[in-house]
Amino acid sequence: MPKRKLILIGYRYSIYVAISAFFFACFLGYVSNVAVETVMKKAIIAGCILGLAFFVSIKILVNYVPDNFNVVKHEDNVDAGKPEE
């Protein structure tokens, strides 16, 4: 899986995390009987901050993935089954 595909997956999941955090914050605000205006402000802030934090963490982790992690090193001069002459 190339790095570009990993980054695109990170974009998609950061949006999922932001939306989930928004709805979870809305639910918690509803349960605690807070004013709707306050709940919406805090839910938007929570969703944006968590989505951004997830995006940045995925971007940093993808930088640690090597460019050639699927490449297998093959040596032609050594045959595993035959003794060298």
Side-chain angles (χ1 to χ4, degrees), residues 22-75:
F22 171 77
F23 285 119
F24 185 68
C26 286
F27 175 73
L28 286 179
Y30 174 75
V31 170
S32 63
N33 291 326
V34 178
V36 175
E37 182 179 322
T38 307
V39 169
M40 293 307 288
K41 286 179 185 177
K42 290 184 178 185
I44 290 171
I45 291 170
C48 290
I49 288 175
L50 283 174
L52 182 66
F54 188 82
F55 168 73
V56 169
S57 65
I58 291 296
K59 188 107 169 146
I60 290 171
L61 288 174
V62 168
N63 286 336
Y64 289 113
V65 175
D67 291 332
N68 56 357
F69 64 92
N70 279 337
V71 177
V72 176
K73 189 174 181 182
H74 181 69
E75 297 178 8

